[in-house]
mmCIF file of all heavy atoms in Angstrom:
data_model
loop_
_atom_site.group_PDB
_atom_site.id
_atom_site.type_symbol
_atom_site.label_atom_id
_atom_site.label_comp_id
_atom_site.label_asym_id
_atom_site.label_seq_id
_atom_site.Cartn_x
_atom_site.Cartn_y
_atom_site.Cartn_z
ATOM 1 N N GLU A 9 168.403 126.310 78.434
ATOM 2 C CA GLU A 9 167.705 125.038 78.337
ATOM 3 C C GLU A 9 167.979 124.450 76.974
ATOM 4 O O GLU A 9 167.937 125.142 75.971
ATOM 5 C CB GLU A 9 166.191 125.235 78.510
ATOM 6 C CG GLU A 9 165.803 125.716 79.899
ATOM 7 C CD GLU A 9 164.309 125.879 80.039
ATOM 8 O OE1 GLU A 9 163.607 125.612 79.049
ATOM 9 O OE2 GLU A 9 163.863 126.267 81.115
ATOM 10 N N PHE A 10 168.254 123.166 76.958
ATOM 11 C CA PHE A 10 168.486 122.510 75.685
ATOM 12 C C PHE A 10 167.166 122.243 74.993
ATOM 13 O O PHE A 10 166.179 121.886 75.624
ATOM 14 C CB PHE A 10 169.217 121.173 75.896
ATOM 15 C CG PHE A 10 170.601 121.344 76.433
ATOM 16 C CD1 PHE A 10 170.942 120.864 77.683
ATOM 17 C CD2 PHE A 10 171.557 121.992 75.693
ATOM 18 C CE1 PHE A 10 172.222 121.015 78.175
ATOM 19 C CE2 PHE A 10 172.848 122.151 76.188
ATOM 20 C CZ PHE A 10 173.166 121.660 77.416
ATOM 21 N N GLY A 11 167.188 122.414 73.678
ATOM 22 C CA GLY A 11 166.021 122.040 72.898
ATOM 23 C C GLY A 11 165.940 120.528 72.819
ATOM 24 O O GLY A 11 166.875 119.811 73.152
ATOM 25 N N GLU A 12 164.842 120.018 72.378
ATOM 26 C CA GLU A 12 164.671 118.581 72.260
ATOM 27 C C GLU A 12 165.149 118.143 70.895
ATOM 28 O O GLU A 12 164.514 118.388 69.886
ATOM 29 C CB GLU A 12 163.203 118.206 72.443
ATOM 30 C CG GLU A 12 162.681 118.518 73.838
ATOM 31 C CD GLU A 12 161.230 118.120 73.963
ATOM 32 O OE1 GLU A 12 160.678 117.596 72.984
ATOM 33 O OE2 GLU A 12 160.667 118.328 75.029
ATOM 34 N N LEU A 13 166.298 117.480 70.847
ATOM 35 C CA LEU A 13 166.789 116.962 69.588
ATOM 36 C C LEU A 13 166.097 115.648 69.296
ATOM 37 O O LEU A 13 165.835 114.852 70.201
ATOM 38 C CB LEU A 13 168.305 116.735 69.637
ATOM 39 C CG LEU A 13 169.158 117.963 69.313
ATOM 40 C CD1 LEU A 13 169.063 118.965 70.447
ATOM 41 C CD2 LEU A 13 170.581 117.576 69.061
ATOM 42 N N GLU A 14 165.786 115.440 68.030
ATOM 43 C CA GLU A 14 165.091 114.221 67.651
ATOM 44 C C GLU A 14 165.958 113.026 67.979
ATOM 45 O O GLU A 14 167.141 112.980 67.652
ATOM 46 C CB GLU A 14 164.793 114.255 66.155
ATOM 47 C CG GLU A 14 164.089 113.007 65.667
ATOM 48 C CD GLU A 14 163.715 113.133 64.208
ATOM 49 O OE1 GLU A 14 162.979 114.064 63.871
ATOM 50 O OE2 GLU A 14 164.166 112.309 63.408
ATOM 51 N N GLU A 15 165.387 112.029 68.626
ATOM 52 C CA GLU A 15 166.136 110.858 69.035
ATOM 53 C C GLU A 15 166.402 109.955 67.832
ATOM 54 O O GLU A 15 165.500 109.654 67.047
ATOM 55 C CB GLU A 15 165.373 110.083 70.111
ATOM 56 C CG GLU A 15 165.239 110.841 71.420
ATOM 57 C CD GLU A 15 166.577 111.053 72.086
ATOM 58 O OE1 GLU A 15 167.459 110.187 71.936
ATOM 59 O OE2 GLU A 15 166.733 112.093 72.753
ATOM 60 N N ILE A 16 167.618 109.498 67.665
ATOM 61 C CA ILE A 16 167.990 108.560 66.621
ATOM 62 C C ILE A 16 168.359 107.256 67.316
ATOM 63 O O ILE A 16 169.292 107.206 68.111
ATOM 64 C CB ILE A 16 169.190 109.066 65.806
ATOM 65 C CG1 ILE A 16 168.889 110.461 65.248
ATOM 66 C CG2 ILE A 16 169.532 108.100 64.691
ATOM 67 C CD1 ILE A 16 167.759 110.503 64.278
ATOM 68 N N SER A 17 167.626 106.192 67.057
ATOM 69 C CA SER A 17 167.874 104.928 67.741
ATOM 70 C C SER A 17 169.144 104.282 67.203
ATOM 71 O O SER A 17 169.593 104.562 66.093
ATOM 72 C CB SER A 17 166.698 103.977 67.549
ATOM 73 O OG SER A 17 166.600 103.591 66.200
ATOM 74 N N GLU A 18 169.717 103.374 67.977
ATOM 75 C CA GLU A 18 170.923 102.684 67.547
ATOM 76 C C GLU A 18 170.646 101.839 66.310
ATOM 77 O O GLU A 18 171.513 101.621 65.474
ATOM 78 C CB GLU A 18 171.458 101.789 68.679
ATOM 79 C CG GLU A 18 171.966 102.568 69.880
ATOM 80 C CD GLU A 18 173.129 103.465 69.515
ATOM 81 O OE1 GLU A 18 173.955 103.077 68.680
ATOM 82 O OE2 GLU A 18 173.204 104.569 70.050
ATOM 83 N N GLU A 19 169.400 101.341 66.185
ATOM 84 C CA GLU A 19 169.072 100.524 65.025
ATOM 85 C C GLU A 19 169.085 101.347 63.746
ATOM 86 O O GLU A 19 169.354 100.849 62.666
ATOM 87 C CB GLU A 19 167.693 99.874 65.198
ATOM 88 C CG GLU A 19 167.645 98.793 66.269
ATOM 89 C CD GLU A 19 167.648 99.379 67.678
ATOM 90 O OE1 GLU A 19 167.292 100.583 67.819
ATOM 91 O OE2 GLU A 19 168.007 98.668 68.618
ATOM 92 N N GLU A 20 168.766 102.654 63.879
ATOM 93 C CA GLU A 20 168.718 103.513 62.701
ATOM 94 C C GLU A 20 170.099 103.888 62.213
ATOM 95 O O GLU A 20 170.274 104.285 61.072
ATOM 96 C CB GLU A 20 167.925 104.791 63.001
ATOM 97 C CG GLU A 20 166.445 104.547 63.139
ATOM 98 C CD GLU A 20 165.725 105.835 63.473
ATOM 99 O OE1 GLU A 20 166.175 106.536 64.388
ATOM 100 O OE2 GLU A 20 164.720 106.132 62.836
ATOM 101 N N SER A 21 171.088 103.809 63.090
ATOM 102 C CA SER A 21 172.451 104.150 62.684
ATOM 103 C C SER A 21 173.198 102.876 62.323
ATOM 104 O O SER A 21 172.788 101.774 62.668
ATOM 105 C CB SER A 21 173.185 104.872 63.818
ATOM 106 O OG SER A 21 173.507 103.949 64.826
ATOM 107 N N ASN A 22 174.307 103.035 61.610
ATOM 108 C CA ASN A 22 175.118 101.869 61.265
ATOM 109 C C ASN A 22 176.284 101.754 62.229
ATOM 110 O O ASN A 22 177.344 101.268 61.896
ATOM 111 C CB ASN A 22 175.630 101.965 59.823
ATOM 112 C CG ASN A 22 176.327 103.284 59.579
ATOM 113 O OD1 ASN A 22 176.471 104.084 60.506
ATOM 114 N ND2 ASN A 22 176.744 103.522 58.348
ATOM 115 N N SER A 23 176.048 102.204 63.448
ATOM 116 C CA SER A 23 177.098 102.214 64.450
ATOM 117 C C SER A 23 176.748 101.278 65.577
ATOM 118 O O SER A 23 175.595 101.122 65.949
ATOM 119 C CB SER A 23 177.281 103.624 65.008
ATOM 120 O OG SER A 23 177.972 103.575 66.217
ATOM 121 N N THR A 24 177.768 100.638 66.136
ATOM 122 C CA THR A 24 177.560 99.827 67.325
ATOM 123 C C THR A 24 178.093 100.527 68.552
ATOM 124 O O THR A 24 178.014 100.011 69.646
ATOM 125 C CB THR A 24 178.281 98.471 67.174
ATOM 126 O OG1 THR A 24 179.669 98.713 66.945
ATOM 127 C CG2 THR A 24 177.717 97.681 65.995
ATOM 128 N N ALA A 25 178.640 101.724 68.364
ATOM 129 C CA ALA A 25 179.203 102.481 69.487
ATOM 130 C C ALA A 25 178.092 103.125 70.281
ATOM 131 O O ALA A 25 177.112 103.592 69.744
ATOM 132 C CB ALA A 25 180.171 103.534 68.980
ATOM 133 N N SER A 26 178.261 103.173 71.576
ATOM 134 C CA SER A 26 177.264 103.804 72.438
ATOM 135 C C SER A 26 177.613 105.255 72.649
ATOM 136 O O SER A 26 178.756 105.607 72.845
ATOM 137 C CB SER A 26 177.222 103.086 73.796
ATOM 138 O OG SER A 26 176.432 103.814 74.705
ATOM 139 N N THR A 27 176.611 106.131 72.598
ATOM 140 C CA THR A 27 176.834 107.542 72.880
ATOM 141 C C THR A 27 176.108 107.952 74.152
ATOM 142 O O THR A 27 175.896 109.110 74.404
ATOM 143 C CB THR A 27 176.325 108.407 71.718
ATOM 144 O OG1 THR A 27 174.938 108.140 71.523
ATOM 145 C CG2 THR A 27 177.088 108.123 70.445
ATOM 146 N N ASN A 28 175.702 106.960 74.919
ATOM 147 C CA ASN A 28 174.984 107.267 76.148
ATOM 148 C C ASN A 28 175.807 106.959 77.386
ATOM 149 O O ASN A 28 175.300 106.963 78.498
ATOM 150 C CB ASN A 28 173.673 106.461 76.199
ATOM 151 C CG ASN A 28 172.726 106.885 75.101
ATOM 152 O OD1 ASN A 28 172.585 108.065 74.842
ATOM 153 N ND2 ASN A 28 172.090 105.917 74.459
ATOM 154 N N GLU A 29 177.093 106.644 77.204
ATOM 155 C CA GLU A 29 177.938 106.396 78.351
ATOM 156 C C GLU A 29 178.191 107.698 79.090
ATOM 157 O O GLU A 29 178.172 108.774 78.494
ATOM 158 C CB GLU A 29 179.275 105.797 77.874
ATOM 159 C CG GLU A 29 179.088 104.442 77.190
ATOM 160 C CD GLU A 29 180.390 103.923 76.623
ATOM 161 O OE1 GLU A 29 181.406 104.626 76.811
ATOM 162 O OE2 GLU A 29 180.393 102.855 76.011
ATOM 163 N N PRO A 30 178.459 107.618 80.402
ATOM 164 C CA PRO A 30 178.672 108.841 81.182
ATOM 165 C C PRO A 30 179.764 109.740 80.601
ATOM 166 O O PRO A 30 179.656 110.950 80.607
ATOM 167 C CB PRO A 30 179.058 108.307 82.564
ATOM 168 C CG PRO A 30 178.439 106.948 82.631
ATOM 169 C CD PRO A 30 178.480 106.406 81.238
ATOM 170 N N ASP A 31 180.855 109.129 80.068
ATOM 171 C CA ASP A 31 181.949 109.932 79.525
ATOM 172 C C ASP A 31 181.529 110.724 78.304
ATOM 173 O O ASP A 31 182.151 111.711 77.938
ATOM 174 C CB ASP A 31 183.132 109.031 79.163
ATOM 175 C CG ASP A 31 183.831 108.493 80.406
ATOM 176 O OD1 ASP A 31 183.579 109.046 81.501
ATOM 177 O OD2 ASP A 31 184.599 107.524 80.282
ATOM 178 N N ASP A 32 180.465 110.288 77.617
ATOM 179 C CA ASP A 32 180.022 110.963 76.407
ATOM 180 C C ASP A 32 179.000 112.051 76.689
ATOM 181 O O ASP A 32 178.680 112.832 75.794
ATOM 182 C CB ASP A 32 179.411 109.947 75.430
ATOM 183 C CG ASP A 32 180.462 109.007 74.854
ATOM 184 O OD1 ASP A 32 181.632 109.426 74.810
ATOM 185 O OD2 ASP A 32 180.115 107.885 74.461
ATOM 186 N N ALA A 33 178.458 112.086 77.906
ATOM 187 C CA ALA A 33 177.401 113.056 78.205
ATOM 188 C C ALA A 33 177.838 114.494 77.942
ATOM 189 O O ALA A 33 177.080 115.256 77.336
ATOM 190 C CB ALA A 33 176.928 112.890 79.650
ATOM 191 N N PRO A 34 179.040 114.930 78.351
ATOM 192 C CA PRO A 34 179.452 116.313 78.039
ATOM 193 C C PRO A 34 179.527 116.585 76.543
ATOM 194 O O PRO A 34 179.206 117.678 76.092
ATOM 195 C CB PRO A 34 180.839 116.420 78.693
ATOM 196 C CG PRO A 34 180.846 115.381 79.757
ATOM 197 C CD PRO A 34 180.026 114.258 79.214
ATOM 198 N N VAL A 35 179.933 115.587 75.752
ATOM 199 C CA VAL A 35 180.019 115.764 74.306
ATOM 200 C C VAL A 35 178.626 115.957 73.714
ATOM 201 O O VAL A 35 178.411 116.827 72.860
ATOM 202 C CB VAL A 35 180.723 114.548 73.653
ATOM 203 C CG1 VAL A 35 180.666 114.647 72.128
ATOM 204 C CG2 VAL A 35 182.164 114.462 74.128
ATOM 205 N N VAL A 36 177.668 115.155 74.175
ATOM 206 C CA VAL A 36 176.292 115.279 73.686
ATOM 207 C C VAL A 36 175.734 116.656 74.037
ATOM 208 O O VAL A 36 175.124 117.332 73.204
ATOM 209 C CB VAL A 36 175.408 114.168 74.285
ATOM 210 C CG1 VAL A 36 173.939 114.374 73.892
ATOM 211 C CG2 VAL A 36 175.879 112.800 73.812
ATOM 212 N N LYS A 37 175.961 117.093 75.271
ATOM 213 C CA LYS A 37 175.470 118.409 75.692
ATOM 214 C C LYS A 37 176.157 119.530 74.913
ATOM 215 O O LYS A 37 175.518 120.515 74.537
ATOM 216 C CB LYS A 37 175.714 118.601 77.200
ATOM 217 C CG LYS A 37 174.785 117.798 78.080
ATOM 218 C CD LYS A 37 175.014 118.165 79.546
ATOM 219 C CE LYS A 37 174.044 117.438 80.459
ATOM 220 N NZ LYS A 37 174.240 117.831 81.870
ATOM 221 N N PHE A 38 177.458 119.364 74.684
ATOM 222 C CA PHE A 38 178.186 120.383 73.942
ATOM 223 C C PHE A 38 177.638 120.520 72.519
ATOM 224 O O PHE A 38 177.421 121.633 72.026
ATOM 225 C CB PHE A 38 179.675 120.028 73.904
ATOM 226 C CG PHE A 38 180.503 120.948 73.054
ATOM 227 C CD1 PHE A 38 180.794 122.229 73.494
ATOM 228 C CD2 PHE A 38 180.963 120.553 71.812
ATOM 229 C CE1 PHE A 38 181.551 123.093 72.722
ATOM 230 C CE2 PHE A 38 181.716 121.405 71.024
ATOM 231 C CZ PHE A 38 182.010 122.679 71.485
ATOM 232 N N LEU A 39 177.401 119.388 71.862
ATOM 233 C CA LEU A 39 176.857 119.420 70.502
ATOM 234 C C LEU A 39 175.469 120.059 70.491
ATOM 235 O O LEU A 39 175.156 120.884 69.623
ATOM 236 C CB LEU A 39 176.803 118.008 69.920
ATOM 237 C CG LEU A 39 176.192 117.890 68.528
ATOM 238 C CD1 LEU A 39 176.984 118.725 67.525
ATOM 239 C CD2 LEU A 39 176.136 116.429 68.092
ATOM 240 N N GLN A 40 174.648 119.692 71.461
ATOM 241 C CA GLN A 40 173.308 120.293 71.562
ATOM 242 C C GLN A 40 173.403 121.811 71.700
ATOM 243 O O GLN A 40 172.713 122.563 71.010
ATOM 244 C CB GLN A 40 172.557 119.714 72.758
ATOM 245 C CG GLN A 40 172.029 118.311 72.540
ATOM 246 C CD GLN A 40 171.278 117.809 73.760
ATOM 247 O OE1 GLN A 40 171.718 118.018 74.890
ATOM 248 N NE2 GLN A 40 170.165 117.168 73.544
ATOM 249 N N LYS A 41 174.277 122.240 72.592
ATOM 250 C CA LYS A 41 174.389 123.684 72.828
ATOM 251 C C LYS A 41 174.884 124.415 71.590
ATOM 252 O O LYS A 41 174.377 125.484 71.252
ATOM 253 C CB LYS A 41 175.321 123.956 74.007
ATOM 254 C CG LYS A 41 175.534 125.456 74.254
ATOM 255 C CD LYS A 41 176.174 125.728 75.570
ATOM 256 C CE LYS A 41 176.646 127.152 75.723
ATOM 257 N NZ LYS A 41 175.846 128.191 75.109
ATOM 258 N N MET A 42 175.864 123.840 70.902
ATOM 259 C CA MET A 42 176.381 124.484 69.700
ATOM 260 C C MET A 42 175.293 124.617 68.633
ATOM 261 O O MET A 42 175.139 125.662 67.996
ATOM 262 C CB MET A 42 177.569 123.697 69.133
ATOM 263 C CG MET A 42 178.845 123.763 69.960
ATOM 264 S SD MET A 42 179.554 125.446 70.058
ATOM 265 C CE MET A 42 178.933 125.978 71.651
ATOM 266 N N ILE A 43 174.511 123.557 68.436
ATOM 267 C CA ILE A 43 173.460 123.588 67.412
ATOM 268 C C ILE A 43 172.382 124.591 67.784
ATOM 269 O O ILE A 43 171.925 125.385 66.951
ATOM 270 C CB ILE A 43 172.872 122.174 67.218
ATOM 271 C CG1 ILE A 43 173.905 121.276 66.535
ATOM 272 C CG2 ILE A 43 171.589 122.231 66.395
ATOM 273 C CD1 ILE A 43 173.484 119.833 66.409
ATOM 274 N N ILE A 44 171.981 124.583 69.042
ATOM 275 C CA ILE A 44 170.921 125.500 69.476
ATOM 276 C C ILE A 44 171.409 126.948 69.424
ATOM 277 O O ILE A 44 170.697 127.850 68.971
ATOM 278 C CB ILE A 44 170.438 125.124 70.892
ATOM 279 C CG1 ILE A 44 169.733 123.765 70.844
ATOM 280 C CG2 ILE A 44 169.499 126.178 71.454
ATOM 281 C CD1 ILE A 44 169.523 123.138 72.192
ATOM 282 N N ASP A 45 172.648 127.186 69.866
ATOM 283 C CA ASP A 45 173.204 128.540 69.798
ATOM 284 C C ASP A 45 173.294 129.019 68.351
ATOM 285 O O ASP A 45 172.984 130.181 68.046
ATOM 286 C CB ASP A 45 174.594 128.577 70.437
ATOM 287 C CG ASP A 45 174.535 128.549 71.955
ATOM 288 O OD1 ASP A 45 173.413 128.616 72.495
ATOM 289 O OD2 ASP A 45 175.596 128.439 72.595
ATOM 290 N N ALA A 46 173.715 128.132 67.456
ATOM 291 C CA ALA A 46 173.834 128.507 66.044
ATOM 292 C C ALA A 46 172.471 128.879 65.471
ATOM 293 O O ALA A 46 172.336 129.870 64.744
ATOM 294 C CB ALA A 46 174.444 127.357 65.243
ATOM 295 N N TYR A 47 171.468 128.093 65.822
ATOM 296 C CA TYR A 47 170.112 128.376 65.314
ATOM 297 C C TYR A 47 169.603 129.715 65.846
ATOM 298 O O TYR A 47 169.062 130.533 65.092
ATOM 299 C CB TYR A 47 169.174 127.243 65.724
ATOM 300 C CG TYR A 47 167.740 127.485 65.335
ATOM 301 C CD1 TYR A 47 167.322 127.369 64.017
ATOM 302 C CD2 TYR A 47 166.792 127.839 66.300
ATOM 303 C CE1 TYR A 47 166.008 127.602 63.659
ATOM 304 C CE2 TYR A 47 165.486 128.076 65.952
ATOM 305 C CZ TYR A 47 165.090 127.952 64.635
ATOM 306 O OH TYR A 47 163.784 128.196 64.293
ATOM 307 N N ARG A 48 169.813 129.950 67.133
ATOM 308 C CA ARG A 48 169.317 131.197 67.737
ATOM 309 C C ARG A 48 170.090 132.420 67.254
ATOM 310 O O ARG A 48 169.546 133.525 67.199
ATOM 311 C CB ARG A 48 169.394 131.090 69.261
ATOM 312 C CG ARG A 48 168.372 130.115 69.837
ATOM 313 C CD ARG A 48 168.556 129.921 71.333
ATOM 314 N NE ARG A 48 167.544 129.025 71.873
ATOM 315 C CZ ARG A 48 167.573 128.508 73.083
ATOM 316 N NH1 ARG A 48 168.588 128.792 73.895
ATOM 317 N NH2 ARG A 48 166.615 127.694 73.495
ATOM 318 N N MET A 49 171.354 132.227 66.888
ATOM 319 C CA MET A 49 172.164 133.349 66.400
ATOM 320 C C MET A 49 171.990 133.585 64.906
ATOM 321 O O MET A 49 172.593 134.498 64.348
ATOM 322 C CB MET A 49 173.641 133.096 66.720
ATOM 323 C CG MET A 49 173.958 133.090 68.206
ATOM 324 S SD MET A 49 175.619 132.470 68.587
ATOM 325 C CE MET A 49 176.629 133.803 67.951
ATOM 326 N N GLY A 50 171.173 132.761 64.253
ATOM 327 C CA GLY A 50 170.928 132.938 62.826
ATOM 328 C C GLY A 50 172.060 132.461 61.949
ATOM 329 O O GLY A 50 172.227 132.947 60.823
ATOM 330 N N ALA A 51 172.858 131.511 62.434
ATOM 331 C CA ALA A 51 173.982 130.999 61.645
ATOM 332 C C ALA A 51 173.480 130.100 60.522
ATOM 333 O O ALA A 51 172.456 129.431 60.658
ATOM 334 C CB ALA A 51 174.949 130.230 62.541
ATOM 335 N N SER A 52 174.214 130.075 59.425
ATOM 336 C CA SER A 52 173.866 129.190 58.310
ATOM 337 C C SER A 52 174.656 127.888 58.363
ATOM 338 O O SER A 52 174.198 126.867 57.862
ATOM 339 C CB SER A 52 174.118 129.885 56.971
ATOM 340 O OG SER A 52 175.498 130.233 56.840
ATOM 341 N N ASP A 53 175.860 127.920 58.958
ATOM 342 C CA ASP A 53 176.719 126.737 59.016
ATOM 343 C C ASP A 53 177.460 126.692 60.345
ATOM 344 O O ASP A 53 177.781 127.729 60.933
ATOM 345 C CB ASP A 53 177.749 126.757 57.883
ATOM 346 C CG ASP A 53 177.116 126.786 56.511
ATOM 347 O OD1 ASP A 53 176.806 127.889 56.027
ATOM 348 O OD2 ASP A 53 176.918 125.713 55.934
#
């Protein structure tokens, strides 16, 4: 199960690119999994 990552609104970023398109969904999930796995494995970086 993915942890709940804090939502960052588009207004808070200086980007106009969308990261919610269907093609980006695997990338978002992959990043979530890597961060959560790193935290659970006790990684520092």
Side-chain angles (χ1 to χ4, degrees):
E9 294 181 0
F10 294 116
E12 296 180 1
L13 275 71
E14 179 175 301
E15 294 294 328
I16 305 296
S17 67
E18 293 298 324
E19 290 75 21
E20 288 178 311
S21 73
N22 53 3
S23 162
T24 58
S26 170
T27 58
N28 295 318
E29 297 175 2
D31 289 345
D32 291 334
V35 173
V36 174
K37 286 186 177 182
F38 175 74
L39 177 60
Q40 284 181 318
K41 177 167 168 35
M42 289 296 98
I43 290 175
I44 293 166
D45 284 354
Y47 176 74
R48 289 174 178 169
M49 294 169 70
S52 61
D53 300 86

